[in-house]
Amino acid sequence: MRIRFWFGIALAGAASVCAAQGAWSPQRNVEIVVGSAPGGSNDKTARQVERILVEKRIVSIPLTVVNKPGGGSTIAFNYVSQHAGDAHYLMVGTTALLSNHIVGSSKLSYQDFTPIASLFNDYVVFVVNAESPMKTGKDLIARLKKDPKSVAIGFATTLGSHNHVAAGLLAKSVGSNPRDLKVIAYKGAAEALTNLLGGHIDLVTTAAGNAAPHVAAGRLRVVGVAGPARFTGALASAPTWKEQGVDLVFGGWRSIMGPKGLSAAQVAYWEGVLAKATKVPEWREDLERNFWADDFVTSAQFRKDLEKDYAEMKAVLTDLGMAKQ
């Protein structure tokens, strides 16, 4: 599974961008909607995109990041879906578009939106408090094998999210029943990590970039990385699950999507803008800083990937006893 922007610019520059990307261009403020609270990976995605587009003067209109947490991103999805055909509304698309529909928590699916571009993959890490008796991934596995309910697991943003699926896949891989896990869904990763730091839960499954500052400060410890290889920097010492005998590579893509009914010219404009943004050095630096894996794919291919991802996510959630669609 690919569990894969108030600056004006010179008139000539604006004209060349418009000509290159189609007849349409935004004429007023553009909202980038995020389905989680500030501080998490989804919010970081929106603000990184906004910063690059503004600082590099790639767009000529104001941009606003709008956080609408709640309902496992369904509040944000519902809000954007109310603006069909209006490309002044964008959102950070995540695997919640797949899982929410599959588990029945939302009537909206990826088919109710316009895919514009997939940006990157964000592999899940398994994090414990630095004072936790679970020092390694093998310690966590032992606890899950003995009593899955003995490990309180927090994640964002809803039951059935890719972070929940990651925990379930680990449990299944080591012979435990994923349905027996003690799980708690939070509105954002920052809230989940705060509870972990406070000793209220035992484990958080989250994006590597969310955990890295706390790991660097010695407050948290990564006991397993669900990526194909070790990260660098602050997480260089964290072993992958494969290194610890578990075949688990899993994460969530981050994308930019619009409401349903966008025209080809509107899609082409935003594809071009995002293609430019992802080529600047600052974007590459952001990828490395947040431990994101580059995976830029434009609309047509992204739509095909979504079809495949939906089928594969449904199979996983069915196996975990959560699929209703």
Side-chain angles (χ1 to χ4, degrees), residues 65-95:
V65 174
V66 179
N67 295 87
K68 288 187 175 292
S73 294
T74 57
I75 292 176
F77 296 160
N78 286 333
Y79 174 75
V80 174
S81 73
Q82 295 167 8
H83 301 278
D86 192 343
H88 294 88
Y89 294 88
L90 303 175
M91 71 179 189
V92 175
T94 70
T95 54

Side-chain angles (χ1 to χ4, degrees), residues 16 51 56 58 97 117 127 136 158 213 232 250 282 285 299-300:
S16 64
R51 180 176 64 83
K56 296 302 178 182
I58 299 173
L97 272 173
V127 195
T136 68
T158 186
T232 58
F250 192 80
E282 289 84 352
E285 292 168 3
S299 182

Side-chain angles (χ1 to χ4, degrees), residues 30-68:
V30 172
E31 293 186 9
I32 309 172
V33 183
V34 183
S36 57
S41 187
N42 298 338
D43 181 67
K44 287 179 183 178
T45 301
R47 297 185 189 278
Q48 305 278 55
V49 171
E50 177 193 21
R51 180 176 64 83
I52 295 294
L53 294 187
V54 168
E55 290 184 358
K56 296 302 178 182
R57 303 187 179 188
I58 299 173
V59 296
S60 59
I61 38 76
L63 298 147
T64 306
V65 174
V66 179
N67 295 87
K68 288 187 175 292

Side-chain angles (χ1 to χ4, degrees), residues 19 25 32 71 105 113 124 128 133 146 243 258 282 292 298 324:
S25 64
I32 309 172
S105 62
F113 299 89
V124 176
V128 299
K146 184 177 180 180
E243 290 179 66
E282 289 84 352
W292 294 336
T298 52
K324 294 183 180 180

Side-chain angles (χ1 to χ4, degrees), residues 80-87 89 110-115 257-263 266:
V80 174
S81 73
Q82 295 167 8
H83 301 278
D86 192 343
Y89 294 88
Y110 72 94
Q111 294 176 325
D112 296 295
F113 299 89
T114 302
M257 304 184 76
K260 193 172 185 177
L262 296 193
S263 68
Q266 290 171 323

Side-chain angles (χ1 to χ4, degrees), residues 9-18:
I9 59 176
L11 182 60
S16 64
V17 170
C18 187

Side-chain angles (χ1 to χ4, degrees), residues 71 74 99-107 158-159:
T74 57
S99 58
N100 286 2
H101 184 257
I102 294 167
V103 304
S105 62
S106 175
K107 294 181 179 180
T158 186
L159 298 178

